[in-house]
Amino acid sequence: MTLHADAAHPDLVTVEVPTHWYNLAAELDQPIPPHLHPATKEPVGPDDLAALFPSGLIAQEVSTEAYIAIPDPVREIYSMWRPSPLIRARRFEKALNTGAHIYVKYEGVSPVGSHKTNSAVAQAYYNSVDGVRKLTTETGAGQWGSALAFAGAQFGLEIEVWQVRASYESKPYRGHLIRTYGGVVHSSPSELTESGRAILAKDPNTTGSLGMAVSEAVEVAAGDPDTRYALGSVLNHVVLHQSVIGQEAVAQLAAVEPNGADLVFGCAGGGSNLAGLAFPFLREKIHGRSDPKVIAAEPAACPSITQGEYRYDHGDVAGLTPLLKMHTLGMDFVPDPIHAGGLRYHGMAPALSHTVELGLVQGVAISQHDAFSAGVQFARTQGIVPAPESTHAIAAAAAHVADDPSEQVVVIGLSGHGQLDLPAYAEYLDGKF
Ligand SMILES: *Cc1c(COP(=O)(O)O)cnc(C)c1O
């Protein structure tokens, strides 16, 4: 990567779009435990995954290469908004009365307003290479569904999305965005699938969950030879795609902070944006170039790292997905319908869970009130309205450095903007939580 500090904006350093994705697991002594077949409990092989995923992504799911080349068509689309900015949040620092140097890596500049496009574009590309006609998926707040709809439009794929009912009803805008990009969106659980009908028969008033929506999307993909499924987080290949965030951030930071980062914060729902940001910083640690601590901020309402068990569990409610070794609250866990819909997932990426077990990442649970309080303070100082998910990372970092004069270098993953989540801000400002 070549580097140059932008003379007009000393806080903004531009780097090139990475040429490779970075796979931390390839550099760890202990491998990530393999996914298991739901029936045989044996490690899943490429054939088991072929009904759901295209060959390029299956290869990445089990890759032991540290660097994997980003195909040109993907890198070209990335360059529509990447590299994303690393911004020194000086006004936020001042408000916190801290000596820390706080940098935010801002993924809200992507077309849909979050990091999700980094994987959506890659997934749509590999599916199009295999001649797939349609992709199904789940979405919570709608960030992933809209990212995949955007990516589908780039590569000529049909996109069908099951959106968690709580979000479908309370946040219609991303559903409109999905349709604007040419996708189709359903409220989940729906009457369109066997798993959806079974859930509705048991609990017609359910608020829905990501685990339920995954079951519906997987069921439809498994039943149609031209259709594949796309997951917006959790799996190794998704974590891999998100590594563009951290690779850029490491390079951007190096131009202004020669000793690198002391602390890296990100919000963790399925774990992909945090892993994407943090793993290249952990690469720096493993190679002895710096010694950052990584902190995963999760919602108190869905605390899989801090309260869950580390064991094999399904990724969905119906038990259709492979068993994943992860921190989990259990496949049946239905979190309260908090505003950070992207953090309402019962499990954590096996790759991130593994680094937690190795002591490289620590979890902290943040209440919704504290998260939005920090989000509002960030908006009032820096202008950017953070996504409800991202406010958890901001709150965790703020709690860590406020009123502390030490000059620590802090990087916060600002995974998206909250411009379509303003009803949630309004509820907070009206004192409803
Ligand atoms: C989806 C989403 C998240 C949570 O997903 P991870 O896989 O944990 O990154 C966080 N922030 C935003 C803005 C999201 O859209």
Side-chain angles (χ1 to χ4, degrees):
M1 240 179 279
T2 51
L3 261 184
H4 56 276
D6 185 327
H9 301 279
D11 286 350
L12 273 179
V13 176
T14 51
V15 296
E16 283 185 10
V17 179
T19 55
H20 292 70
W21 289 302
Y22 172 65
N23 178 16
L24 174 73
E27 300 210 273
L28 297 174
D29 294 336
Q30 292 114 305
I32 302 173
H35 311 331
L36 303 183
H37 191 285
T40 65
K41 311 278 193 286
E42 293 293 318
V44 286
D47 291 349
D48 302 318
L49 295 171
L52 289 182
F53 300 110
S55 52
L57 296 178
I58 293 171
Q60 292 175 359
E61 191 62 21
V62 296
S63 174
T64 52
E65 300 288 311
Y67 288 92
I68 295 169
I70 302 175
D72 284 342
V74 174
R75 196 159 174 261
E76 240 169 66
I77 297 174
Y78 280 174
S79 69
M80 290 163 73
W81 69 93
R82 306 211 69 84
S84 68
L86 182 78
I87 303 163
R88 174 90 184 259
R90 291 182 190 271
R91 288 164 189 267
F92 188 54
E93 287 170 12
K94 207 166 161 207
L96 294 176
N97 184 35
T98 178
H101 297 188
I102 299 179
Y103 296 84
V104 295
K105 178 64 171 166
Y106 185 42
E107 292 296 308
V109 294
S110 94
V112 304
S114 78
H115 68 285
K116 296 286 198 324
T117 37
N118 298 329
S119 188
V121 170
Q123 293 193 42
Y125 167 77
Y126 286 109
N127 276 287
S128 75
V129 166
D130 274 13
V132 171
R133 182 179 56 82
K134 179 167 116 177
L135 291 177
T136 62
T137 197
E138 76 295 327
T139 198
Q143 291 271 23
W144 170 245
S146 51
L148 197 67
F150 160 75
Q154 299 299 312
F155 291 104
L157 295 169
E158 286 175 38
I159 304 295
E160 190 171 8
V161 182
W162 276 263
Q163 182 171 22
V164 176
R165 182 192 272 176
S167 297
Y168 183 89
E169 288 173 358
S170 68
K171 298 185 175 182
Y173 301 110
R174 288 207 179 84
H176 303 332
L177 190 55
I178 290 168
R179 293 171 54 214
T180 303
Y181 288 131
V184 173
V185 58
H186 313 290
S187 176
S188 169
S190 74
E191 296 283 354
L192 299 167
T193 65
E194 234 172 80
S195 36
R197 288 189 293 271
I199 295 160
L200 286 172
K202 257 201 264 170
D203 182 5
N205 296 321
T206 178
T207 53
S209 72
L210 281 168
M212 293 177 199
V214 173
S215 293
E216 295 202 88
V218 165
E219 181 185 322
V220 169
D224 176 354
D226 293 336
T227 298
R228 293 286 182 281
Y229 166 69
L231 186 60
S233 183
V234 180
L235 294 177
N236 299 337
H237 65 266
V238 184
V239 166
L240 178 78
H241 301 152
Q242 296 298 349
S243 67
V244 292
I245 304 172
Q247 291 185 75
E248 288 172 7
V250 166
Q252 288 165 317
L253 193 69
V256 283
E257 299 284 357
N259 298 324
D262 298 308
L263 290 159
V264 178
F265 290 88
C267 62
S272 72
N273 89 85
L274 172 61
L277 173 67
F279 284 7
F281 282 99
L282 291 177
R283 173 190 67 195
E284 299 306 289
K285 180 184 172 85
I286 289 168
H287 291 279
R289 293 190 283 265
S290 62
D291 191 20
K293 266 198 194 157
V294 177
I295 292 135
E298 54 183 16
C302 195
S304 49
I305 293 179
T306 52
Q307 302 282 321
E309 291 172 42
Y310 184 55
R311 62 172 168 87
Y312 275 102
D313 195 11
H314 287 285
D316 69 322
V317 170
L320 302 173
T321 68
L323 288 159
L324 308 173
K325 184 85 183 267
M326 59 184 178
H327 290 92
T328 177
L329 295 161
M331 63 195 255
D332 295 327
F333 182 78
V334 180
D336 286 344
I338 54 167
H339 290 294
L343 304 183
R344 289 181 73 225
Y345 187 66
H346 66 276
M348 192 51 63
L352 189 70
S353 287
H354 187 56
T355 56
V356 170
E357 287 303 300
L358 295 178
L360 296 168
V361 176
Q362 290 162 18
V364 59
I366 305 287
S367 76
Q368 179 161 251
H369 177 88
D370 290 353
F372 273 78
S373 166
V376 165
Q377 191 179 27
F378 189 83
R380 288 180 186 173
T381 49
Q382 294 296 133
I384 295 170
V385 179
E389 291 83 359
S390 318
T391 61
H392 291 72
I394 296 170
H400 206 94
V401 303
D403 301 316
D404 180 345
S406 53
E407 291 193 32
Q408 328 169 58
V409 175
V410 177
V411 177
I412 304 174
L414 191 42
S415 51
H417 72 64
Q419 298 268 354
L420 297 184
D421 304 282
L422 292 173
Y425 276 89
E427 281 190 24
Y428 170 78
L429 296 167
D430 291 343
K432 293 194 179 145
F433 62 85

